[in-house]
Amino acid sequence: MIHNLLHNTKIVLASASPRRKSLLNMLGLNPLVFPADVDESLNRKRPHLQAMRNAKNKALHVANHMDSDSLIIGADTIVVLDGQVLGKPSGPAQAKQYLAQLSGQTHAVYTGLCLCRSKQCVSGYERSLVEFAPLSETEIEAYVETKEPMDKAGAYGIQGFGSQFIKRINGCYFNVMGFPIHLFYNMLKDIFEGNALDK
């Protein structure tokens, strides 16, 4: 289990996301939070490659400041609708725009993970499909007023007020929160059971 694999290991989360930290806490872990200030600009690469690139850049940036025995966790989540990446909204107007686009549609959520320890890194990603119910303008306005959408890719949080708009998920729920736990577990086994490769 995860808490056994990480017994006596210093864990560093290269992210300011309170959701990722709370999920690690749920697993019995108490990571040091060290947000990485790296370029997360979009490019023409496929979404899962962008998410993995961003996650690896975060992990490597923080690894440079930590001892080699620490486990560094980098993560990045991208929301994609019809080929368009919906990042964190720049303000309420863009949040409303994103939610209007997501209304009644199915979109993909990709989270890239990168774990680094002892100069060795392993990377991976998870993909989930999320179907939104149709949203009225009144519902969108009320949701944006909660301010929940403002720091989240795609302008919604599945674990909060946004949960009431989700009709269906195909894939990992925790991935939509920004931290796919089963993928994390498998990657930890790669590192701590001696099978890790820099992917």
Side-chain angles (χ1 to χ4, degrees):
M1 295 182 72
I2 289 172
H3 66 282
N4 292 328
L5 285 171
L6 295 178
H7 183 64
N8 289 331
T9 299
K10 180 180 178 182
I11 304 160
V12 184
L13 177 61
S15 169
S17 167
R19 294 162 295 283
R20 292 183 181 126
K21 183 177 185 299
S22 68
L23 288 175
L24 290 172
N25 292 157
M26 181 186 77
L27 297 170
L29 307 177
N30 187 28
L32 171 67
V33 176
F34 195 115
D37 183 16
V38 298
D39 176 31
E40 296 182 58
S41 57
L42 301 175
N43 55 38
R44 296 180 180 274
K45 289 186 177 180
R46 295 171 65 183
H48 74 280
L49 296 177
Q50 293 191 49
M52 289 171 66
R53 178 205 64 182
N54 291 343
K56 187 169 186 176
N57 286 345
K58 291 176 184 180
L60 290 174
H61 176 82
V62 172
N64 289 330
H65 301 277
M66 300 294 164
D67 59 84
S68 62
D69 287 336
S70 299
L71 175 74
I72 315 299
I73 304 171
D76 187 66
T77 299
I78 292 178
V79 172
V80 183
L81 175 66
D82 296 331
Q84 178 188 358
V85 175
L86 306 183
K88 295 177 182 178
S90 59
Q94 190 169 58
K96 292 173 187 177
Q97 175 194 328
Y98 284 175
L99 291 163
Q101 289 177 254
L102 294 171
S103 172
Q105 303 296 317
T106 298
H107 63 275
V109 178
Y110 296 86
T111 298
L113 279 186
C114 180
L115 309 182
C116 294
R117 182 173 184 263
S118 300
K119 298 183 180 180
Q120 187 175 46
C121 293
V122 60
S123 297
Y125 77 95
E126 189 69 56
R127 173 179 177 265
S128 302
L129 298 178
V130 181
E131 182 182 351
F132 254 63
L135 303 180
S136 67
E137 287 186 22
T138 301
E139 288 173 317
I140 291 173
E141 290 272 358
Y143 183 41
V144 172
E145 284 177 6
T146 69
K147 295 185 171 51
E148 183 178 270
M150 302 315 302
D151 67 338
K152 297 171 180 63
Y156 75 94
I158 195 170
Q159 75 287 351
F161 294 114
S163 59
Q164 57 204 298
F165 305 135
I166 308 302
K167 283 184 68 175
R168 189 174 294 108
I169 299 173
N170 182 359
C172 174
Y173 169 84
F174 297 108
N175 178 51
V176 186
M177 281 185 69
F179 196 78
I181 292 174
H182 183 64
L183 174 64
F184 177 54
Y185 180 42
N186 283 337
M187 290 169 64
L188 285 175
K189 288 192 289 184
D190 282 345
I191 287 179
F192 286 90
E193 295 176 3
N195 303 316
L197 297 172
D198 189 4
K199 302 177 184 177

